[in-house]
Amino acid sequence: MIPGVSSRRRFSDLSEQEILALAISSEEDDGRIYRSYAEMLRPDYPDTAKIFDGMAAEEDGHRQRLIELHQKRFGEVIPLIRREHVAGFYARRPVWLIENLGIERIRAEAEAMERDAEAFYLKAAQNTTDAGTRKLLGDLAAAEAGHQDRAGELSEAHLSEDAKDAEERTAKRQFVLTWVQPGLAGLMDGSVSTLAPIFATAFATQDTWTTFLVGLAASVGAGISMGFTEAASDDGELSGRGSPTKRGIASGVMTTVGGLGHALPYLIPDFWTATVIAIAVVFVELWAIAWIQNKYMETPFFRAAFQVVLGGALVFAAGVLIGSG
């Protein structure tokens, strides 16, 4: 199997019974998440907690309607199928990743959850032929769309001065999902994974042209591999991550750029001049990755810097030791 290509079921291959089972398990998960948010917010924001209690109760109502339909059409046994079993299906962030980021982030996460659920029900309705099932899925899509407006009300009492325009939030979220996440993954892979072959070749041969050719081949090869892997792993229909072509381009191009950054200095004929410049470029690349993680992925800067710089330093050291040996 090609690394990164999912072996999960494609949504288009699911039967109508499996679609209902997936919807049931998703509603159960979302109800639990909303109750967790309510408990976290209750001490400081009791009114907001009540909103989440109500949203959880509505998810329970959706689940019950889905179960009743499943019983009517397929019987009592509901197949075990969850989000993680379906390729490209939207994922929920663990509650512990959200709980310390404040009420605004919780509100934004709730809006995203309802937007994802609406997209799922609309897609599911298109894949069903039974009139009753299609009607229920369409009704649930409309209900989830209404929940988005309700989730947006969470800012009125507590965050009115900090609330952002909904369209701006949506556009930023889509930009991060389609371009930043795959581009960052590519930049990390290209910058770090090519360190060992490039510097091993450099110190083994001390031939700048040979080192450049190895770096060029490693960068372009990694870029092609990452681009195809990203595009093939998720069609974006359910996850909302956008066009697989765009994500593949972002991942592939940034992987290639990450590798070429410290390969290009070896176009300089003098070995030590090229090596010193390449090391400086590596330092800039790793700090740029940490900055992007902090700005767009909300990773604390020093933690991101420590992880990236430490990983890069270990790979660099491995390349130098292998080449010198």
Side-chain angles (χ1 to χ4, degrees):
M1 181 185 301
I2 299 174
V5 177
S6 175
S7 61
R8 296 179 293 176
R9 295 279 300 278
R10 292 178 61 86
F11 181 75
S12 58
D13 295 332
L14 298 181
S15 67
E16 292 192 17
Q17 182 183 17
E18 289 172 328
I19 289 175
L20 285 177
L22 178 60
I24 291 168
S25 66
S26 298
E27 293 288 358
E28 290 172 347
D29 290 344
D30 287 355
R32 284 194 291 267
I33 291 172
Y34 287 142
R35 287 190 175 87
S36 297
Y37 288 165
E39 289 306 307
M40 287 188 298
L41 295 171
R42 205 176 309 280
D44 297 321
Y45 304 106
D47 293 335
T48 302
K50 291 178 182 178
I51 293 176
F52 278 116
D53 285 333
M55 293 175 71
E58 291 191 33
E59 299 300 315
D60 290 342
H62 296 172
R63 177 181 56 83
Q64 185 59 42
R65 293 172 65 185
L66 289 163
I67 291 176
E68 290 172 356
L69 178 60
H70 186 280
Q71 290 172 325
K72 178 181 178 181
R73 290 195 61 195
F74 303 109
E76 298 292 331
V77 180
I78 301 174
L80 177 60
I81 181 168
R82 305 179 65 84
R83 293 186 178 101
E84 57 267 25
H85 300 155
V86 181
F89 199 75
Y90 62 84
R92 297 301 191 215
R93 295 178 185 272
V95 172
W96 55 267
L97 284 178
I98 307 299
E99 61 184 354
N100 295 321
L101 297 180
I103 189 173
E104 182 178 8
R105 179 57 187 275
I106 293 175
R107 174 180 60 82
E109 192 70 16
E111 291 179 358
M113 287 173 63
E114 300 301 334
R115 188 164 49 244
D116 290 339
E118 179 192 6
F120 162 66
Y121 282 123
L122 289 174
K123 185 69 176 176
Q126 296 173 6
N127 285 29
T128 58
T129 56
D130 178 75
T133 303
R134 193 180 186 94
K135 180 181 184 303
L136 176 58
L137 295 175
D139 291 344
L140 293 179
E144 300 293 354
H147 286 181
Q148 293 180 42
D149 296 333
R150 191 171 181 182
E153 296 171 1
L154 298 178
S155 64
E156 294 181 1
H158 306 293
L159 295 168
S160 58
E161 70 281 4
D162 298 322
K164 299 179 181 178
D165 181 80
E167 292 182 0
E168 180 182 347
R169 288 198 306 272
T170 301
K172 180 180 178 181
R173 176 177 179 271
Q174 194 62 54
F175 173 74
V176 171
L177 290 175
T178 303
W179 296 105
V180 175
Q181 282 186 350
L184 178 61
L187 183 60
M188 292 177 66
D189 185 82
S191 297
V192 176
S193 67
T194 58
L195 285 175
I198 289 176
F199 285 101
T201 303
F203 281 86
T205 66
Q206 297 199 1
D207 185 324
T208 57
W209 179 246
T210 300
T211 302
F212 169 72
L213 291 178
V214 170
L216 179 64
S219 302
V220 173
I224 294 172
S225 175
M226 285 287 290
F228 274 101
T229 298
E230 175 62 39
S233 64
D234 177 9
D235 59 14
E237 290 185 4
L238 292 178
S239 65
R241 297 180 64 218
S243 166
T245 301
K246 292 179 180 178
R247 298 194 330 269
I249 291 173
S251 181
V253 169
M254 293 308 294
T255 301
T256 303
V257 169
L260 286 178
H262 42 272
L264 288 175
Y266 284 98
L267 287 172
I268 301 172
D270 183 75
F271 170 76
W272 286 109
T273 301
T275 299
V276 170
I277 294 175
I279 292 173
V281 171
V282 169
F283 181 82
V284 172
E285 288 172 348
L286 296 179
W287 280 98
I289 291 170
W291 180 84
I292 294 172
Q293 286 185 317
N294 173 254
K295 180 175 177 61
Y296 291 101
M297 313 306 293
E298 300 180 358
T299 304
F301 181 78
F302 288 106
R303 188 175 75 185
F306 176 76
Q307 292 171 343
V308 173
V309 173
L310 177 61
L314 291 174
V315 176
F316 169 78
V320 172
L321 289 174
I322 292 171
S324 300

